[in-house]
Amino acid sequence: MRLSARGRPTASLFVQLLALAMLTLVAAEVISLVLIFNLPPPTPDFYRLSEIEQTFHGGKALFTERRPLELRTVDHPSGVPLDTHLAPTLRSEIARNLGVAQDRVVIAVDRNPFSDRRVLRTLRDKIVRAGVNEEHFLVAPFEVAVRRPDGSYDEVRPQPAFGLNPWQQRIALWFVLSALAMAPAAYIFARRLSAPIRLFAGAAERLGRDPRAPPLALRGSAEIGVAVRAFNDMQERLRRYVEDRTAMVGAIAHDLRTPLTRLRFRIESLPDDQRAKIAADIDQMEAMISAALTFVRDAGQPGQRTPLELSSLLESLCDEMAETGAQTEIETGEKVVLEGDPMALRRLFANLLDNAVKFGGRASARVMRQGATAVVEIDDDGPGIPPADRERVFEPFYRREPSRNRQTGGAGLGLAIVRSIARGHGGDVALVNRSGGGLTARVQLPL
């Protein structure tokens, strides 16, 4: 027994499942006892020999609560011959009343595993106690057959039953009502068992979106508690690992600025042709360091996530870029709202729009919903990207244009930042060449 985060004792999952099984078993036994003590026993259908003989003569006896008798011709009775001490008496009486030899009369019964010979004795005792003159009778199911001269048999038997008899209907109704009565308890029990697992699954999914999410509360069975503590420890280790690596990259980038500054002073004494080339390399390194520091700063200081409408965000970005002469547009579509970091998502889409304008001449954006996912597509009219480079362009500092000219693409961190932000929100980004030319940047974000 353990205590949950709210101080309530919580049994292990094994104990809870065992309790559910025992509760179900006890409920089944209680229902059976109620049926035994409250429902009257079923009264079997029994038929007097006079009713059977009347059917042989073609008469139709009226039965209100019993199945009617039917007369048919068969090759041989299908049941087992009756072997009680009354069997000869019954055959003799039937033969005498029908005017046939006794050896031509066959009385067959159905000896199934659930048949009970005490039924006949019980009915006879009831008739005697009621003061009624006893008449020989047979209890269904039975077959009374008389052999014909050609070897076939005229047979009288109760008509086969279709569906449930009244006693079986009452039993079925009791079980249905009992199941309905137990359904709420079973539902509550099942929700109680599955709720911690759903909570655990939700926390695992949330970790993919936001590694800095608060730790999972300890609720549920002892086994769930162990798993939750292990999950929280794993999340904390991942968070520290990412923060340590990010801080290390930031420190390295920051410390590199000092030797670069010394190099810049030392090249002043060099000839002009050498100084220009070395200065260009230093400028390139400083640009890469500045981009790395910006990336680390943004990754280390995530903003608070709030509801955000994507169409409005993209529309504002397109308007701002259009004011500087860029050819941008957004297609009118449905309003899609998600929980996200406004500044990070703004930077994600700004980088994609800027790349579309810079390398494709124009940018056309659209927002749509696909199930539980928000999809943003940004098209351009550029040359596209070879399949071999579709994933490499997301690597930090990788550029397909190797000049490192700040006017033609910067340091190569733009798409790396785009994918980092998208995956930090539980989504992803991909680049797809259009069949008619141009490139489509497709961003998927969970709602």
Side-chain angles (χ1 to χ4, degrees):
M1 189 74 68
R2 308 219 176 205
L3 290 178
S4 68
R6 298 181 180 179
R8 296 177 300 183
T10 305
S12 69
L13 187 60
F14 170 78
V15 172
Q16 295 186 53
L17 290 174
L18 180 62
L20 177 60
M22 294 300 295
L23 176 64
T24 304
L25 180 61
V26 170
E29 292 295 334
V30 170
I31 292 170
S32 298
L33 291 175
V34 171
L35 291 175
I36 291 173
F37 289 110
N38 289 276
L39 286 182
T43 301
D45 292 340
F46 64 95
Y47 300 85
R48 297 178 178 88
L49 295 188
S50 59
E51 296 171 333
I52 298 173
E53 294 160 1
Q54 181 183 357
T55 306
F56 271 111
H57 290 301
K60 293 291 186 180
L62 180 62
F63 303 103
T64 57
E65 297 181 355
R66 294 174 293 167
R67 289 174 288 163
L69 296 173
E70 65 176 3
L71 175 63
R72 63 175 188 166
T73 300
V74 297
D75 293 334
H76 197 278
S78 58
V80 178
L82 183 66
D83 58 357
T84 65
H85 68 282
L86 283 177
T89 302
L90 296 174
R91 288 201 306 270
S92 175
E93 183 175 345
I94 293 174
R96 183 177 64 255
N97 294 333
L98 294 178
V100 298
Q102 182 176 345
D103 60 356
R104 294 174 57 187
V105 177
V106 177
I107 301 177
V109 294
D110 183 11
R111 287 288 186 229
N112 61 62
F114 301 101
S115 61
D116 191 351
R117 298 185 179 184
R118 294 173 299 174
V119 173
L120 192 64
R121 188 183 313 116
T122 301
L123 287 174
R124 186 177 295 108
D125 292 342
K126 287 184 178 180
I127 293 175
V128 171
R129 285 197 301 269
V132 179
N133 291 330
E134 180 181 358
E135 180 181 353
H136 290 132
F137 57 86
L138 291 173
V139 177
F142 64 84
E143 301 168 1
V144 177
V146 177
R147 189 174 68 251
R148 302 171 64 177
D150 61 359
S152 61
Y153 288 81
D154 290 330
E155 180 185 85
V156 172
R157 68 169 185 173
Q159 287 185 358
F162 296 98
L164 303 178
N165 59 42
W167 186 79
Q168 292 172 331
Q169 292 174 4
R170 289 195 297 270
I171 291 290
L173 180 60
W174 262 100
F175 278 110
V176 170
L177 293 178
S178 301
L180 292 177
M182 287 294 298
Y187 175 78
I188 294 173
F189 215 110
R191 281 189 59 87
R192 178 181 175 84
L193 289 177
S194 61
I197 299 177
R198 290 198 307 271
L199 182 66
F200 191 74
E205 193 274 337
R206 188 171 61 251
L207 175 63
R209 298 190 186 189
D210 184 10
R212 296 175 177 83
L216 187 60
L218 291 174
R219 292 197 299 272
S221 64
E223 294 86 351
I224 293 294
V226 172
V228 166
R229 281 190 289 273
F231 178 85
N232 288 339
D233 292 342
M234 179 194 69
Q235 179 176 344
E236 179 63 21
R237 287 193 295 269
L238 286 175
R239 185 185 62 80
R240 288 199 304 266
Y241 176 83
V242 172
E243 290 179 352
D244 291 346
R245 294 302 182 272
T246 303
M248 181 182 67
V249 172
I252 293 173
H254 182 272
D255 293 344
L256 283 176
R257 284 186 164 181
T258 300
L260 285 178
T261 301
R262 290 199 299 266
L263 286 174
R264 189 176 292 279
F265 281 114
R266 290 174 182 174
I267 65 174
E268 294 298 328
S269 59
L270 295 177
D272 292 342
D273 56 342
Q274 297 182 13
R275 185 170 65 247
K277 294 180 180 179
I278 296 175
D281 290 339
I282 293 175
D283 290 340
Q284 177 182 333
M285 294 179 66
E286 287 185 339
M288 295 173 65
I289 291 172
S290 297
L293 287 174
T294 301
F295 176 76
V296 170
R297 184 180 63 251
D298 292 344
Q301 299 177 352
Q304 185 168 358
R305 300 191 178 190
T306 59
L308 183 67
E309 204 282 299
L310 292 179
S311 296
S312 300
L313 173 62
L314 284 164
E315 186 175 356
S316 65
L317 289 172
C318 289
D319 291 342
E320 292 174 4
M321 295 181 66
E323 292 176 357
T324 62
Q327 186 177 351
T328 60
E329 63 179 1
I330 179 171
E331 300 177 9
T332 303
E334 59 182 320
K335 302 295 183 182
V336 180
V337 179
L338 56 77
E339 292 278 338
D341 181 351
M343 296 304 299
L345 291 178
R346 184 179 182 86
R347 185 175 186 186
L348 183 156
F349 295 121
N351 284 353
L352 292 178
L353 290 170
D354 183 67
N355 283 349
V357 172
K358 187 175 299 182
F359 299 107
R362 71 173 188 90
S364 176
R366 57 184 169 274
V367 180
M368 66 195 78
R369 181 196 302 267
Q370 292 183 354
T373 303
V375 178
V376 179
E377 294 182 342
I378 299 176
D379 298 338
D380 65 42
D381 293 335
I385 295 179
D389 287 342
R390 288 181 188 173
E391 288 298 318
R392 293 193 64 192
V393 294
F394 291 104
E395 298 175 3
F397 302 111
Y398 174 79
R399 290 187 57 202
R400 295 188 61 243
E401 194 278 312
S403 69
R404 297 294 178 184
N405 189 330
R406 293 288 292 173
Q407 302 300 320
T408 59
L413 276 176
L415 290 178
I417 292 173
V418 165
R419 173 161 281 183
S420 175
I421 294 173
R423 290 182 172 176
H425 284 74
D428 207 347
V429 60
L431 303 178
V432 182
N433 290 324
R434 300 208 312 276
S435 58
L439 184 73
T440 296
R442 181 182 175 88
V443 181
Q444 294 178 300
L445 299 170
L447 297 175

